[in-house]
Amino acid sequence: MTTNRIQSLLQQMTLEEKIAQLTQLATPFYKGASDGGQITGPMAELGITEEVVQNTGSVLGASGAKEVRSIQETHLKENRLGIPLLMMADIVHGFKTIFPVPLAIGCSWDTEEAERSAEIAAKEASVSGVHVTFAPMVDLVRDPRWGRVMESTGEDPYLNSEFARAFVRGFQGNNMTEETDRVAACVKHFAAYGAAEGGRDYNTVDMSERQLRESYLPAYKAALDEGCEMVMTAFNTVEGVPATGNRWLMRDLLREEIGFNGVLISDWGAVKEMIPHGVAEDEKEAARKAIEAGVDIEMMTSTYVHHVKELVEEGSLEVSLIDEAVIRILELKEKLGLFENPHRGADVEREQELIMHADHRKAAKELAVKSSVLLKNSGILPLKTEQKVALIGPFAQSGDILGPWSWQGSKEEAVQLYDGLLEKSSGIFVAKGSDIETGSEEMLNGALDAGEKADVIVLALGEHSDMSGEAGCRGDIRLPEVQLELLSTIKQLGKPIVVVLFNGRPLDLTGVVQECDAIVEAWYPGTEGGAALADLLYGDANFSGKLSMSFPHTVGQVPVYYNNYNTGRPQGAPDAQVRYVSQYLDIPNEPLYPFGYGLSYTTYEYSGLQISSETMTPDETLTISVDVKNTGSMAGEEIVQMYVRDMAGEVIRPLKELKDFEKLPLQPGDKKTVSFTLTEEQLRYHHINLTYKSDAGTFTVYAGPNSRDVQSATFTLLK
Ligand code: BGC
């Protein structure tokens, strides 16, 4: 129900004021900003007048309580109707206290910790004046060449959906009018941005509607079911039409079918990009298509400002379309309490207290511990305090461990690996060995010197943060050549080598796996990264992280993901021919490390998989149970996973689909039974005509420590 206030504002607003309300500009446009009011370069080309700025509805990238208050104050003086601005920014995995990147958080399988990280991010952002975060990013990802995989929680629709919900809860809380420590969330990028062809950013996406619904939509829907206030359009095409001008996607699917009634914002410049996409002749046509699709806010281009008035006046656009967009934006302002309290959480004093609070750093450390994945360990880990350690590599003493989206994070305040290890080790020799992409003989010699003095070598390798993230795509996803050389040179010393990786994507580890004794995937672990890793490397904490995205053997397998389909000629079938099966002649079909994989310092034994019944009717549930025993000597937390395969559907069905998981703490020697409940609803899928239902027939259930090493049992669904 639109309130009287909003109805009255709408009546008073001129068409120009309404259109400006639909425009989002960056901080430098605003006089109240410290660098404000002086527009140069490409921003000047937007041709935005001062009058438009005074009437805009939202700001991109403003933060800092003092600055935001000043922008808002100046704006309220100049805006005829006193409509406050919405301050939006990308608070993706922390504001100043930086948590691990989302792909790492995905590997924690810990939705409670994820929720807490978003709550802390919201608290720090809100006190700095931010009202809306452009997060969570929930695009399903299967291609590690795409630089933005680090922004996603991974390749599984169910796991992504669980995280999508957790992030939204953490950002928004229960009542944003009263809880000013929260921010509104904006789920992105709708839709299927993660499926860019060839893993090249912004590239064409072309997939069946079934695939879209089955794999890509669930996480966006989950965020919206949780009450996410906003949606951002994707840069890519869906069914041949750029998402930002795609009426079917935005009106029919998002608004009508999913029932989303909040604010839809374009991605940066995406309205105007309909011209190079080749679906709009000019800005005017681009503006019309975006409005018709229901895009309420145009981010950082000015097609609305320059053309919507004309479109309305010539009768090509109904003014009701403009009104509905304005109403949605004003409603969000109302929900955030901005009419009563335009400065909302922005508070210079509290900002000092809250930002980088010790509790926040503690939470960031805990999540970094849970997000790192032990990929290989031939027994050299955990390190012993009495061992002399050579810490070598470009990430030995680097603060570039926050990831490409840590906009406000400070590399200077990040705990480097060296700082962390120093706390634990009795003797540590450090050498850079090489830069990330270049090196020298001198650096290499320094590394050899350090290595010679040590009992064990910790090699901190990886990608610098610009090598992933937006427009950070790579065709070769190995470590840069110079780092591989560093590793093989160090190997000649004959000492045990532990590789710790800092990177934003699953890598091709050719030249690494065989050369070392242990591999820790640290991702970009955030502000407390070095401290968390030191605890893990010395066994003061145990590894529990499991991959939420497969690691390929080589880039030639990509995309390689666990929930793929069989073929008519699967590899390894009992009657398979030698040649005419679906396989490569030179590389395996399977990934190097599958979805769900990760080691720890203890071992777990799975036994006794049981299903409560061999049959199930739609109104019954099944209980699937499995015993898990900690057979090692250290306490740990095992992520027990349950998958299902529909053996014969109307359309092909994935070989495995994650249906549930549990994080199970186990002391050495402890054995516990984990029970999962399976309902008929979890067996539904999209049929030929896209109806969503289950079929009678046989299903296989799997349980295990990852998607590969599972036990199985079968049951029949009766209808
Ligand atoms: C990115 C979005 C981001 C926006 C605003 C775009 O380039 O694709 O993810 O939210 O910029 O910073």
Side-chain angles (χ1 to χ4, degrees):
M1 257 307 278
T2 311
T3 59
N4 291 341
R5 167 166 45 209
I6 291 177
Q7 272 165 6
S8 139
L9 280 173
L10 199 67
Q11 275 161 17
Q12 295 172 68
M13 287 169 91
T14 63
L15 184 56
E16 285 89 341
E17 284 170 334
K18 289 178 184 171
I19 296 165
Q21 190 65 217
L22 313 188
T23 298
Q24 176 162 113
L25 298 172
T27 321
F29 282 92
Y30 295 85
K31 275 196 258 164
S34 50
D35 59 349
Q38 288 166 20
I39 303 307
T40 51
M43 292 206 197
E45 284 160 28
L46 292 181
I48 298 277
T49 63
E50 210 171 289
E51 196 190 341
V52 169
V53 178
Q54 280 163 18
N55 290 316
T56 49
S58 56
V59 183
L60 170 67
S63 78
K66 187 162 170 253
E67 168 130 324
V68 171
R69 290 183 77 97
S70 156
I71 295 174
Q72 190 73 289
E73 232 160 71
T74 315
H75 180 79
L76 288 174
K77 275 188 213 137
E78 296 188 341
N79 182 278
R80 185 176 70 91
L81 297 168
I83 303 175
L85 286 164
L86 270 168
M87 307 293 173
M88 307 197 188
D90 293 88
I91 317 302
V92 177
H93 52 106
F95 179 69
K96 289 247 182 229
T97 307
I98 302 297
F99 288 82
V101 293
L103 189 57
I105 296 181
C107 296
S108 74
W109 298 51
D110 197 319
T111 52
E112 275 172 36
E113 291 270 345
E115 180 176 339
R116 188 154 68 120
S117 75
E119 186 182 341
I120 290 171
K123 200 179 257 185
E124 292 193 0
S126 173
V127 80
S128 295
V130 176
H131 306 143
V132 176
T133 175
F134 295 135
M137 185 278 214
V138 303
D139 304 321
L140 184 116
V141 289
R142 292 174 170 171
D143 192 332
R145 291 172 297 181
W146 193 48
R148 302 195 79 166
V149 300
M150 49 69 53
E151 289 179 57
S152 162
T153 46
E155 72 188 33
D156 183 66
Y158 173 69
L159 191 59
N160 284 358
S161 301
E162 291 296 291
F163 277 113
R165 286 199 185 90
F167 286 132
V168 171
R169 280 196 302 273
F171 286 130
Q172 297 193 165
N174 298 321
N175 179 342
M176 282 186 302
T177 320
E178 283 171 15
E179 294 176 39
T180 54
D181 274 352
R182 306 287 184 152
V183 294
C186 174
V187 65
K188 66 189 187 185
H189 307 82
F190 197 77
Y193 184 32
E197 275 181 9
R200 204 182 74 212
D201 209 0
Y202 319 123
N203 203 7
T204 309
V205 169
D206 197 0
M207 69 171 68
S208 67
E209 188 177 337
R210 171 170 306 99
Q211 183 64 239
L212 179 73
R213 287 179 180 276
E214 201 80 16
S215 305
Y216 289 82
L217 286 184
Y220 307 108
K221 265 183 103 224
L224 296 173
D225 286 348
E226 204 62 44
C228 186
E229 291 292 343
M230 282 184 58
V231 173
M232 186 185 290
T233 71
F235 285 125
N236 54 276
T237 50
V238 173
E239 295 276 352
V241 181
T244 310
N246 192 321
R247 288 183 65 159
W248 170 76
L249 185 68
M250 299 304 176
R251 292 259 178 213
D252 301 355
L253 188 61
L254 177 65
R255 298 251 189 236
E256 297 257 320
E257 189 183 316
I258 300 180
F260 174 65
N261 198 25
V263 175
L264 177 63
I265 187 169
S266 81
D267 200 346
W268 181 300
V271 176
K272 194 171 165 188
E273 286 172 18
M274 276 190 261
I275 304 171
H277 263 300
V279 299
E281 289 276 352
D282 50 24
E283 288 197 12
K284 188 173 165 189
E285 194 177 4
R288 180 175 59 74
K289 289 196 164 178
I291 293 274
E292 281 174 353
V295 176
D296 302 317
I297 301 182
E298 177 180 17
M299 187 200 293
M300 287 308 288
T301 47
S302 49
T303 73
Y304 283 12
V305 163
H306 292 140
H307 304 285
V308 168
K309 183 163 184 253
E310 192 189 336
L311 284 163
V312 171
E313 284 172 354
E314 73 188 23
S316 321
L317 269 184
E318 295 285 330
V319 76
S320 61
L321 293 181
I322 317 304
D323 286 353
E324 74 179 39
V326 173
I327 290 172
R328 285 195 282 256
I329 295 165
L330 296 183
E331 279 177 348
L332 180 56
K333 294 184 179 189
E334 193 158 66
K335 203 172 221 177
L336 286 159
L338 291 176
F339 288 105
E340 287 74 26
N341 181 10
H343 296 301
R344 207 166 176 270
D347 183 325
V348 179
E349 272 167 36
R350 270 190 93 219
E351 199 177 27
Q352 299 298 321
E353 282 164 36
L354 279 178
I355 302 274
M356 303 281 276
H357 190 283
D359 290 350
H360 300 181
R361 295 191 76 136
K362 189 165 166 263
K365 181 177 168 190
E366 279 167 18
L367 196 43
V369 165
K370 294 188 172 192
S371 302
S372 297
V373 185
L374 182 63
L375 296 177
K376 173 178 176 174
N377 185 14
S378 57
I380 182 66
L381 288 178
L383 301 173
K384 296 172 196 69
T385 328
E386 59 278 11
Q387 284 172 322
K388 300 225 175 320
V389 175
L391 174 63
I392 297 171
F395 281 93
Q397 289 181 296
S398 168
D400 188 17
I401 58 171
L402 305 182
W405 249 140
S406 51
W407 174 57
Q408 287 288 332
S410 143
K411 289 182 185 166
E412 289 67 42
E413 290 186 70
V415 182
Q416 303 177 1
L417 185 56
Y418 176 72
D419 305 332
L421 294 190
L422 205 56
E423 302 268 300
K424 313 264 179 187
S425 159
S426 59
I428 181 162
F429 311 101
V430 63
K432 200 168 185 189
S434 79
D435 285 318
I436 287 172
E437 292 182 281
T438 53
S440 69
E441 186 123 0
E442 204 185 326
M443 289 171 109
L444 213 51
N445 287 337
L448 287 168
D449 283 351
E452 252 161 23
K453 291 183 233 159
D455 305 314
V456 55
I457 295 162
V458 175
L459 260 187
L461 307 176
E463 301 175 299
H464 59 71
S465 51
D466 288 346
M467 290 166 84
S468 59
E470 186 173 350
C473 304
R474 297 180 67 204
D476 179 352
I477 53 170
R478 286 176 307 162
L479 284 174
E481 201 60 45
V482 67
Q483 295 186 51
L484 295 175
E485 270 168 37
L486 174 64
L487 171 54
S488 60
T489 309
I490 294 292
K491 167 100 174 150
Q492 289 163 18
L493 293 172
K495 311 234 168 135
I497 299 177
V498 177
V499 170
V500 182
L501 293 168
F502 297 86
N503 51 291
R505 56 162 59 76
L507 294 168
D508 168 345
L509 294 174
T510 309
V512 179
V513 181
Q514 306 304 337
E515 304 293 309
C516 65
D517 301 280
I519 306 177
V520 173
E521 177 50 82
W523 306 110
Y524 293 115
T527 305
E528 289 290 323
L533 286 162
D535 277 3
L536 286 166
L537 291 172
Y538 278 90
D540 294 332
N542 200 351
F543 284 93
S544 61
K546 305 238 186 185
L547 296 177
S548 62
M549 190 175 179
S550 309
F551 266 57
H553 271 280
T554 82
V555 77
Q557 293 179 309
V558 163
V560 61
Y561 48 95
Y562 90 95
N563 43 3
N564 62 354
Y565 303 102
N566 232 5
T567 63
R569 297 184 175 196
Q571 200 185 36
D575 56 350
Q577 294 200 21
V578 176
R579 183 177 177 99
Y580 296 99
V581 293
S582 180
Q583 65 188 3
Y584 300 102
L585 295 176
D586 53 348
I587 52 172
N589 281 7
E590 306 305 324
L592 173 64
Y593 298 123
F595 176 82
Y597 170 88
L599 305 172
S600 84
Y601 290 142
T602 190
T603 44
Y604 302 101
E605 190 183 274
Y606 283 68
S607 61
L609 175 68
Q610 281 188 358
I611 311 191
S612 54
S613 165
E614 281 172 13
T615 58
M616 172 186 178
T617 59
D619 46 15
E620 288 171 353
T621 60
L622 281 186
T623 304
I624 290 122
S625 58
V626 65
D627 299 332
V628 186
K629 184 174 180 191
N630 182 341
T631 48
S633 54
M634 193 164 169
E637 194 171 41
E638 170 69 338
I639 301 168
V640 183
Q641 303 159 38
M642 193 266 281
Y643 299 87
V644 170
R645 176 176 174 194
D646 184 344
M647 300 310 288
E650 190 181 86
V651 297
I652 55 169
R653 305 292 301 124
L655 283 172
K656 282 188 193 103
E657 289 178 281
L658 180 72
K659 292 294 175 189
D660 209 346
F661 60 90
E662 190 172 315
K663 296 198 79 172
L664 184 70
L666 281 177
Q667 293 299 321
D670 268 11
K671 182 174 174 180
K672 285 189 192 152
T673 304
V674 178
S675 296
F676 300 106
T677 306
L678 193 67
T679 65
E680 178 273 334
E681 210 182 325
Q682 288 169 290
L683 306 175
R684 296 181 193 169
Y685 68 95
H686 294 92
H687 283 60
I688 291 175
N689 64 3
L690 295 179
T691 50
Y692 190 65
K693 58 178 186 182
S694 63
D695 297 328
T698 313
F699 291 80
T700 306
V701 190
Y702 307 89
N706 61 58
S707 61
R708 183 188 59 200
D709 307 314
V710 286
Q711 312 200 355
S712 66
T714 57
F715 73 91
T716 307
L717 178 67
L718 304 172
K719 281 199 159 178

